[in-house]
Amino acid sequence: AFHRPSLPLLSDILKEARRIAILEDITNFTNIGAIFRSAAALGIDGVLLTKGCSNPLYRRAIRVSMGTIFQVPWTFFDPDDNWPEDGMTTMKNLGFKTAAMALTDNSVSIDNEQLMSEEKLAIILGTEGEGLLNETIENCDYTVKIPMSHGVDSLNVAAASAVAFWQLGCK
């Protein structure tokens, strides 16, 4: 129905960015759309997707995003690169600190002062159920959790993204 323009280069998105969201293997189109909507509303400069993610141009993702998929710069990591090794190396070489949103024993709270004061931060979100790859978590500068109440262990990835982007986004 329409011509799809080429995706921007990773380097173009990261050139001026301070806050980036990285989506690792998220396949649910509703979650992708909701994450893009939160990214647009809450100060995220761009979204990077691993090759295991579904395409944000799927109509359900576009609809849930309320069209913000066309406002927030985004691209896929090079499909020939090996995630997370190559992608994490790229981010670190460009001066980004990485924050895995994951529940581990050594997680810091999302309101950690050092985390919030990082000049350049990539917030990494994983798929429902399995979450992030262990290798991704191990290679991040921070592992971050959102404190929960009433015995709830975690939020849906789309809801967690909104909380993370509010707390850690560009203000």
Side-chain angles (χ1 to χ4, degrees):
F2 67 93
H3 171 70
R4 287 188 185 191
S6 298
L7 291 176
L9 298 173
L10 189 73
S11 58
D12 291 340
I13 292 176
L14 297 176
K15 186 175 9 180
E16 302 291 325
R18 291 188 52 239
R19 293 294 186 264
I20 291 290
I22 297 176
L23 309 186
E24 181 182 273
D25 299 343
I26 297 176
T27 58
N28 182 290
F29 295 110
T30 301
N31 286 336
I32 288 175
I35 291 167
F36 268 85
R37 188 171 179 182
S38 294
L42 300 171
I44 300 302
D45 298 316
V47 178
L48 307 177
L49 300 99
T50 64
K51 62 184 171 188
C53 284
S54 294
N55 195 313
L57 294 177
Y58 183 78
R59 64 187 169 114
R60 177 76 177 144
I62 294 170
R63 188 166 46 150
V64 172
S65 82
M66 298 296 292
T68 58
I69 284 170
F70 302 112
Q71 295 173 350
V72 177
W74 66 274
T75 196
F76 282 93
F77 281 98
D78 186 330
D80 294 330
D81 286 351
N82 188 16
W83 176 264
E85 298 86 7
D86 296 337
M88 297 286 261
T89 299
T90 297
M91 298 308 295
K92 291 181 183 198
N93 287 344
L94 292 170
F96 281 85
K97 295 292 185 177
T98 52
M101 298 299 297
L103 300 171
T104 65
D105 291 338
N106 64 346
S107 294
V108 299
S109 179
I110 196 164
D111 61 357
N112 177 281
E113 291 293 326
Q114 184 177 350
L115 170 68
M116 292 176 18
S117 68
E118 292 293 352
E119 180 66 27
K120 294 172 125 184
L121 187 66
I123 303 163
I124 306 175
L125 300 147
T127 190
E128 293 274 337
E130 297 158 13
L132 294 171
L133 297 169
N134 287 334
E135 190 174 356
T136 299
I137 296 169
E138 291 166 5
N139 286 302
C140 279
D141 298 298
Y142 298 93
T143 304
V144 181
K145 67 179 173 185
I146 300 168
M148 298 282 129
S149 300
H150 302 291
V152 175
D153 66 343
S154 66
L155 297 172
N156 159 283
V157 67
S161 75
V163 172
F165 298 163
W166 168 256
Q167 185 68 35
L168 302 172
C170 295
K171 295 184 169 113

